[in-house]
Amino acid sequence: MKRTDQPYMQATGVLPHSLVNDYMFKALLQKNQVVLKHLICSMLHLRPEEVVSVDLRNPIVLGKSLAEDFDSKTFVLDVNVLLNNQVLINLEMQVVNYKNWPERSLTYLCRNFDQLSRGEDYIHVKPVVHIGFLDFTLFKESPEFYATYKMMNEKNHQVYTDKFILSVVDLNHIELATREDREWKIDYWASLFKATTWEELKMLAEQNSILEGAVETIYELTADETVQEQCKAREKHVREMRTVLTEKEMAVQEKEMAVQEKEMAVQEKEMAVQEKEMAIQEKEMAMQEKDKAVQEKEKILQESEQEIAQLRQKIEQLTQENRQLQEQRVPKQ
């Protein structure tokens, strides 16, 4: 049944801040433990009754400036959770593509995995899961809505361990959600995070009671001016980072263009050298052909001289024979 008594039902238009804002993302999951629990259940394919406890390990004071305790430009607003006192889960919203997500997420995963105290047996290490919600496509050549990565044998796909897991949700490819993704409502969560208007949120709230609770909490957070100030600060930081990255990419592109131009100049020079070498080779071939023609001519002359010499010898021989005949014909006195 459609509820009209909720305050958010009167809200319309564009959201002050969507959940791709990492501060709003953390604020929602920290403030509403039910939403946090059901999000984790969807991502890990768990039934709600399987979850006994969800302990947030890194809460912040909502509305308090991050700069008071942290460097707001480097502070990561991840959500670190201990599930059922057995599994460590890190949830992170990432908007800016620094082109280092595999290395970044693996670093956080390793930090969580390195949890044993001195003297503890390695078998007691808790499983760790890192789930990244990305507002960009990680592998453009093979986009996927929800992907999970484990350590395994590359030949036979034997899993090395189930205690080390990385998952990625591509918020820009909800249409690629599989049947399994939709059964676990992961596409609903992605739509919630990507929603930019109250109308979108209200439609989601009508379809799912848990998302309804999420929308109620979002409405409360948007009414908190201190929270909104922190959201604005984070969005300002994102804009600055995007500007820096754009300038850096432009500088890299200009450098690449300069390198390409230099390579082209080198190629042109090499082509000119090759053309010159070809011209020299053609000239040498022409000279060789000329030399060959001269040699053939000389050979013909030699053969002609030999024939002439042979003819002279024959003429002299015939002349002598003729003289001898004439002498034989003259009578003796």
Side-chain angles (χ1 to χ4, degrees):
M1 183 174 67
K2 184 176 180 179
R3 297 181 60 180
T4 59
D5 58 338
Q6 294 298 326
Y8 69 78
M9 291 301 296
Q10 306 304 317
T12 59
V14 178
L15 294 172
H17 307 283
S18 71
L19 288 169
V20 294
N21 181 303
D22 57 358
Y23 193 93
M24 182 63 78
F25 174 78
K26 173 144 189 170
L28 168 64
L29 299 182
Q30 178 173 314
K31 189 175 179 67
N32 194 322
Q33 292 283 305
V34 175
V35 170
L36 176 59
K37 171 183 173 178
H38 280 80
L39 173 61
I40 290 174
C41 285
S42 289
M43 305 311 298
L44 301 187
H45 297 178
L46 298 173
R47 295 187 302 275
E49 56 269 24
E50 295 180 80
V51 177
V52 178
S53 62
V54 178
D55 300 320
L56 183 64
R57 288 158 42 98
N58 62 341
I60 60 174
V61 179
L62 294 179
K64 182 180 179 180
S65 174
L66 297 176
E68 294 179 27
D69 297 316
F70 304 96
D71 179 354
S72 62
K73 291 187 177 181
T74 59
F75 183 57
V76 179
L77 284 160
D78 58 338
V79 179
N80 198 269
V81 175
L82 178 59
L83 181 68
N84 292 343
N85 201 33
Q86 294 178 344
V87 182
L88 289 168
I89 303 170
N90 206 63
L91 305 165
E92 186 177 355
M93 176 66 68
Q94 184 62 36
V95 179
V96 181
N97 186 4
Y98 293 99
K99 302 186 186 302
N100 63 359
W101 182 258
E103 294 77 13
R104 175 188 175 121
S105 58
L106 189 59
T107 298
Y108 283 110
L109 192 67
C110 289
R111 287 175 183 171
N112 264 351
F113 196 70
D114 186 13
Q115 65 204 237
L116 293 179
S117 300
R118 186 180 182 87
E120 286 189 88
D121 193 292
Y122 290 109
I123 195 66
H124 295 135
V125 68
K126 291 180 173 63
V128 292
V129 181
H130 188 281
I131 303 173
F133 298 92
L134 308 186
D135 198 25
F136 55 86
T137 299
L138 183 59
F139 301 117
K140 292 184 178 180
E141 65 280 6
S142 55
E144 191 173 355
F145 171 60
Y146 183 43
T148 296
Y149 303 89
K150 294 182 180 181
M151 293 180 66
M152 62 176 60
N153 186 308
E154 64 178 13
K155 293 179 181 178
N156 59 18
H157 298 166
Q158 171 67 46
V159 175
Y160 190 76
T161 177
D162 276 324
K163 291 188 174 184
F164 203 74
I165 299 173
L166 279 164
S167 293
V168 176
V169 177
D170 187 338
L171 298 177
N172 292 319
H173 279 295
I174 301 176
E175 80 284 357
L176 296 180
T178 65
R179 180 178 178 180
E180 184 178 44
D181 297 334
R182 297 182 187 280
E183 287 175 354
W184 288 99
K185 307 299 182 185
I186 300 175
D187 57 321
Y188 275 45
W189 290 107
S191 297
L192 177 76
F193 298 150
K194 283 291 287 182
T196 58
T197 67
W198 286 109
E199 286 72 20
E200 290 176 80
L201 289 184
K202 285 185 276 190
M203 286 180 63
L204 289 167
E206 289 176 10
Q207 301 174 54
N208 186 293
S209 61
I210 302 301
L211 295 188
E212 181 181 19
V215 175
E216 290 175 11
T217 304
I218 293 169
Y219 184 81
E220 293 172 9
L221 291 169
T222 59
D224 188 329
E225 293 183 0
T226 60
V227 170
Q228 293 305 299
E229 285 301 314
Q230 298 312 309
C231 288
K232 290 177 183 177
R234 293 301 291 174
E235 288 177 356
K236 180 183 177 183
H237 171 61
V238 168
R239 288 194 297 271
E240 290 173 351
M241 288 300 97
R242 281 178 171 161
T243 299
V244 170
L245 287 174
T246 300
E247 291 175 351
K248 187 180 289 187
E249 288 176 357
M250 288 178 64
V252 170
Q253 289 175 356
E254 289 176 357
K255 188 174 181 180
E256 289 176 348
M257 286 180 64
V259 171
Q260 289 176 354
E261 290 176 356
K262 189 173 181 180
E263 289 177 348
M264 286 179 65
V266 171
Q267 289 175 354
E268 290 175 356
K269 188 173 182 180
E270 289 177 348
M271 286 179 65
V273 170
Q274 288 175 355
E275 290 175 355
K276 189 173 182 181
E277 289 177 347
M278 285 178 66
I280 292 172
Q281 288 175 356
E282 289 175 356
K283 189 174 182 180
E284 290 177 348
M285 286 178 66
M287 291 180 67
Q288 289 174 357
E289 289 178 356
K290 188 175 180 181
D291 290 343
K292 187 176 179 182
V294 169
Q295 290 174 357
E296 290 178 353
K297 189 174 181 180
E298 289 177 348
K299 184 178 179 181
I300 292 171
L301 286 173
Q302 289 175 355
E303 290 175 351
S304 299
E305 288 176 352
Q306 289 176 358
E307 289 177 356
I308 292 171
Q310 290 175 356
L311 287 171
R312 284 177 177 172
Q313 289 178 356
K314 193 169 184 178
I315 291 170
E316 288 179 358
Q317 183 180 357
L318 290 171
T319 302
Q320 290 178 357
E321 290 177 353
N322 189 37
R323 286 176 182 173
Q324 290 177 357
L325 287 172
Q326 287 179 356
E327 287 176 356
Q328 290 176 358
R329 291 175 180 175
V330 177
K332 293 181 180 180
Q333 294 181 353

